[in-house]
Amino acid sequence: MDAYDDAGGLEEPPAPEPDAPSGAGIASLSLPYQVVAAVALAVVGVLACAHLAMVFLHVAPSNTLTKRHGEAVDDWVYPEFEQNWKLFAPNPLQQNVSVQVRAQVAPADGSRRTTGWIDLSAQDAEAIRGSLVPSHTEQNELRRAWDFYLNSHTDDHRPNGLRGTLSESYLRRIVMLRLEGQRLGGTVERIQLRQTVRAVPAPPWSTERTDAAPAHRELPWWRVGPADLPGAAQENRTEEAR
Amino acid sequence: MNAPSASPDPGRHVQHVRRVRREDGREPLDRRLGRAVQRVTASALGPYQTAIVRIGVSLTWLLFLLRELPHRHELYGPDGPWSWEMGRQLIADNDAFTALMWSDGRLWFEIVYALAVLSAALLLLGWRTRAVSVVFMVGVLSLQNRSVFVGDGGDNVLHLLAIYLVLTRCGQVWSLDARRAAREARAAAHGEARDEANEDAHGLPPRRDVVGPLLWTVLGGFLLAATAFADVTGSVWLVVLLWVLWLGQALWWLVCRFTPGEPRTLLDVLANLAHNGALVVMMAEVCLIYATAGWYKIQGSRWQDGTALYYPLHLDYFTPWPALSDLLASSGVMVMVLTYGTVLVQVAFPFALFNRRVKNVLLVAMMLEHAGIAVLLGLPLFSLAMISADAVFLPTAFLVWLGARVGRGRDRLLSRLLPRRYGGRVPEQRRTGGENTPRTLVG
């Protein structure tokens, strides 16, 4: 354990000398109790090693073992020990992705009107600027919901399974919550989202050239249902209860 | 144990013993193995390190919950964008642990959030540490698993450490528990002395602990609920773990009360084993974090050409102070030094553990880098969580020194704020602070 000490810097109160009876530890127990303690030591050792091996395989790149036993690793790690430490790796994100929305609004006079693009990510950035402790609602909510949408959809906007459909209604609910504060002059009937990607220009000292033109990607128009409005879940439930 | 020793006597003794062993050859393997087994069964290693991790993790989570208090409904509430029903569908699929699925009512949500805040504050203080650490873990998992899409790396670190902390004896020092234990030990010693002086007089009976059993009963009620709702609580193994812990507490109480001696020593051994196992896992986890972060970066072209740091400094979501970011990003050499330095430190850290001095240098570098990230990238709680995790590798000598400094500062503050109450008692206060810290080679 001396090596451990040097490594971890965990000096202990002077450890009892090996053969001196100390009133604690496995040495002070009688044989039957010692057997229990030894079994416990083995169990703890095996569990710790197994856990670390599983977590290691989880964070390691796909390899011989994970190709063969990937399911066992996933079963062990998900959902409570999931982890992703590829922070800014292998490369940091080199583009600003902003999520924008426009809405089809029905004013009281029966006409239809389409708003201009509203940049929700720019609102987030505005809120973050000058903030010592940005909120998860500003820094993560929309940004990660958008990633969630992209990861759970095919390139032609088809959802893959449950996560895909959930991500769509999650986005709709976030957007409707955001639009609530904007005066759009009527009921929002449909919304359309798009992402605008702008590459971060290469550093001034670099000879690389970056394409500065923003790239857009539009999603289809979505109809807004009562379930997409803020607070809708509560009302639905109270109706069900009646 | 090659740290400079402030109390020379035990240090010299150890050195002497070691010299004797070296003279008659290397100690046989079985003796060394036996000594190691004795050590991991007899004591819960790293009392200061686990305590600082406990304090760091609970402080981070407490600050987070208070920061998001105005946004709690939007992030985790039943009517937030990620609605209760959506959460239910996802959890039915991924089987994550959360108590928030027991009811979609707003009241239940408020209760869980309040309990999460309360448990974080109590864990920070080290009040009934083991029981509170369990409530803390349930709070962390319940909220985070309810809305997995609002978290980031900081939440991930807290999630893991909250689970590991439950298995440690993280309240041995710097806690209300340690203070109570010291007080009881003092009272017991006092009682014995009096008994010897006067055979007829009985020492005061040890104070009956009412709070402990009460807490145990209340938590038992929650545990029954968790079992009744097992199909929506998720992670069955966690519910089993909760039962084991709960029954273990009862066993501990019974054994202490009725059969002290060997059964009690055995339970102590088991608790030490769980603690030491969890401590090793926590340390390895930190190494895995840095190894993963570092080794994947090596493969990235931007980390190779020395411009990687430039890019996050120009992302809208991570530039709370654009002028500051621009200033740092304006120097190509500076960006490259920091970019290479980051990779170097992260890759090297696990190997640096074999050398105490190098380990400490890298540890300081990493903590400073996280402090920088906190401000520059606007990720203070992520950084605080990472620093808390790193703290498991801080040297005991530094932690003891830090504890003494903080204790003195607290006493000075109290005597200034409440001169009437504490004015005349500062020296005594100082002493009670010191008693919490068991003597070590360096202390």
Side-chain angles (χ1 to χ4, degrees):
Chain A
M1 293 306 281
D2 282 351
Y4 175 74
D5 249 358
D6 291 343
L10 302 175
E11 302 86 359
E12 281 312 304
E17 281 307 307
D19 299 320
S22 61
I26 197 167
S28 63
L29 293 169
S30 62
L31 189 62
Y33 285 102
Q34 267 184 345
V35 171
V36 179
V39 170
L41 175 65
V43 168
V44 168
V46 168
L47 268 182
C49 290
H51 180 67
L52 289 176
M54 288 298 187
V55 174
F56 173 81
L57 289 175
H58 171 62
V59 296
S62 169
N63 56 49
T64 315
L65 277 174
T66 44
K67 276 176 198 150
R68 210 175 297 163
H69 306 290
E71 211 164 300
V73 175
D74 286 350
D75 285 347
W76 185 290
V77 164
Y78 289 103
E80 307 301 350
F81 297 106
E82 182 185 0
Q83 44 204 294
N84 176 11
W85 308 120
K86 297 179 197 173
L87 309 168
F88 299 121
N91 269 328
L93 189 65
Q94 293 160 58
Q95 51 201 21
N96 276 303
V97 179
S98 56
V99 179
Q100 300 167 348
V101 63
R102 63 178 172 181
Q104 199 179 65
V105 182
D109 60 11
S111 62
R112 292 283 181 281
R113 198 170 62 79
T114 304
T115 66
W117 290 104
I118 301 167
D119 194 334
L120 299 177
S121 299
Q123 294 173 3
D124 282 342
E126 181 66 32
I128 289 167
R129 217 163 297 140
S131 168
L132 268 180
V133 189
S135 164
H136 273 20
T137 53
E138 300 150 9
Q139 211 165 25
N140 294 347
E141 193 176 89
L142 177 66
R143 184 176 63 86
R144 287 210 54 207
W146 186 252
D147 283 345
F148 178 34
Y149 174 87
L150 293 182
N151 290 334
S152 59
H153 281 75
T154 58
D155 285 340
D156 52 347
H157 311 296
R158 256 198 293 269
N160 356 340
L162 171 72
R163 289 173 167 251
T165 47
L166 282 177
S167 76
E168 285 180 20
S169 49
Y170 185 34
L171 266 180
R172 273 199 297 271
R173 288 173 63 87
I174 292 177
V175 168
M176 291 313 292
L177 186 66
R178 295 290 188 87
L179 291 183
E180 200 183 28
Q182 315 246 336
R183 297 232 170 86
L184 297 178
T187 323
V188 176
E189 291 189 327
R190 299 198 303 162
I191 54 169
Q192 186 185 26
L193 289 171
R194 74 166 181 187
Q195 76 165 357
T196 301
V197 178
R198 286 186 197 83
V200 173
W205 61 84
S206 158
T207 50
E208 274 176 56
R209 308 195 114 227
T210 340
D211 187 5
H216 299 290
R217 180 178 164 192
E218 287 184 9
L219 266 51
W221 281 92
W222 281 338
R223 188 162 290 286
V224 175
D228 299 324
L229 302 176
Q234 185 75 49
E235 282 157 27
N236 285 355
R237 278 197 310 278
T238 29
E239 271 163 32
E240 273 168 33
R242 268 175 209 150
Chain B
M1 297 185 194
N2 47 9
S5 170
S7 50
D9 285 335
R12 208 177 297 146
H13 176 62
V14 169
Q15 273 172 8
H16 173 69
V17 169
R18 198 172 281 175
R19 213 173 306 129
V20 169
R21 276 186 205 131
R22 291 234 171 93
E23 270 160 19
D24 51 38
R26 222 170 138 72
E27 201 184 355
L29 181 69
D30 58 333
R31 283 279 301 270
R32 273 187 294 157
L33 205 65
R35 218 147 44 90
V37 169
Q38 171 62 12
R39 197 160 172 217
V40 296
T41 53
S43 59
L45 299 167
Y48 292 95
Q49 284 77 7
T50 41
I52 194 83
V53 171
R54 177 200 93 218
I55 290 169
V57 166
S58 54
L59 180 68
T60 311
W61 184 239
L62 180 64
L63 290 176
F64 171 75
L65 292 177
L66 295 179
R67 166 68 183 95
E68 303 293 7
L69 203 59
H71 305 131
R72 64 187 187 283
H73 293 290
E74 185 176 341
L75 290 173
Y76 305 111
D79 305 322
W82 187 251
S83 71
W84 187 89
E85 177 54 30
M86 291 157 78
R88 192 196 61 73
Q89 289 180 36
L90 189 69
I91 286 165
D93 185 48
N94 71 8
D95 201 35
F97 180 93
T98 175
L100 282 172
M101 282 300 119
W102 297 1
S103 157
D104 62 358
R106 187 169 277 214
L107 181 67
W108 177 237
F109 166 70
E110 299 286 11
I111 290 173
V112 171
Y113 201 90
L115 283 177
V117 173
L118 183 70
S119 65
L122 290 177
L123 189 63
L124 183 67
L125 296 173
W127 183 80
R128 309 276 164 180
T129 314
R130 179 79 75 173
V132 165
S133 73
V134 174
V135 181
F136 178 81
M137 174 190 77
V138 170
V140 171
L141 299 194
S142 292
L143 289 171
Q144 290 189 353
N145 287 339
R146 164 71 180 78
S147 304
V148 280
F149 298 108
V150 294
D152 53 32
D155 294 276
N156 203 163
V157 175
L158 289 183
H159 190 109
L160 297 168
L161 290 182
I163 299 176
Y164 298 147
L165 271 180
V166 164
L167 298 171
T168 65
R169 305 181 113 176
C170 53
Q172 295 179 97
V173 294
W174 297 335
S175 67
L176 294 179
D177 284 350
R179 204 165 78 163
R180 198 178 55 237
R183 201 166 50 213
E184 273 162 19
R186 208 161 49 230
H190 191 67
E192 266 171 36
R194 239 200 347 221
D195 282 352
E196 276 169 29
N198 181 359
E199 295 258 89
D200 297 332
H202 293 286
L204 286 173
R207 248 200 304 172
R208 262 276 185 75
D209 180 21
V210 186
V211 181
L214 196 68
L215 190 60
W216 182 80
T217 312
V218 171
L219 292 181
F222 276 102
L223 189 51
L224 280 178
T227 313
F229 286 109
D231 49 335
V232 292
T233 308
S235 292
V236 175
W237 69 269
L238 258 171
V239 181
V240 173
L241 175 71
L242 293 179
W243 271 104
V244 170
L245 288 165
W246 189 69
L247 293 173
Q249 288 292 311
L251 194 63
W252 180 264
W253 186 84
L254 288 172
V255 163
C256 285
R257 208 171 161 86
F258 298 112
T259 55
E262 271 212 310
R264 193 193 146 140
T265 310
L266 178 69
L267 287 188
D268 199 47
V269 165
L270 296 183
N272 287 337
L273 282 172
H275 169 100
N276 293 327
L279 180 59
V280 168
V281 168
M282 272 200 277
M283 294 173 129
E285 183 74 62
V286 175
C287 290
L288 275 177
I289 292 176
Y290 286 115
T292 318
W295 286 91
Y296 281 104
K297 281 192 180 90
I298 286 187
Q299 307 163 24
S301 55
R302 293 302 179 201
W303 295 97
Q304 290 171 3
D305 70 14
T307 60
L309 189 73
Y310 173 87
Y311 292 95
L313 293 174
H314 288 87
L315 293 180
D316 292 339
Y317 271 100
F318 301 101
T319 43
W321 315 101
L324 202 62
S325 300
D326 284 346
L327 187 71
L328 188 67
S330 63
S331 159
V333 176
M334 177 65 117
V335 168
M336 176 170 158
V337 167
L338 287 175
T339 301
Y340 271 39
T342 302
V343 178
L344 197 78
V345 168
Q346 290 187 339
V347 171
F349 184 73
F351 305 102
L353 295 183
F354 292 102
N355 181 296
R356 187 180 173 73
R357 207 168 298 168
V358 179
K359 180 263 296 175
N360 286 338
V361 170
L362 292 192
L363 200 57
V364 170
M366 289 196 309
M367 287 186 167
L368 286 179
E369 174 155 22
H370 280 129
I373 286 174
V375 180
L376 271 176
L377 301 187
L379 295 165
L381 294 171
F382 163 76
S383 300
L384 195 55
M386 287 309 301
I387 290 174
S388 308
D390 294 343
V392 77
F393 288 108
L394 283 174
T396 305
F398 169 74
L399 289 171
V400 170
W401 172 85
L402 186 74
R405 280 293 298 260
V406 171
R408 272 202 298 278
R410 178 200 58 196
D411 292 344
R412 212 170 300 146
L413 195 72
L414 283 178
S415 65
R416 202 167 296 166
L417 289 178
L418 308 161
R420 209 170 302 161
R421 209 170 144 206
Y422 288 95
R425 290 179 47 205
V426 171
E428 192 200 338
Q429 282 283 316
R430 206 171 286 167
R431 238 183 297 128
T432 33
E435 269 158 10
N436 296 343
T437 58
R439 291 254 155 248
T440 66
L441 272 183
V442 287

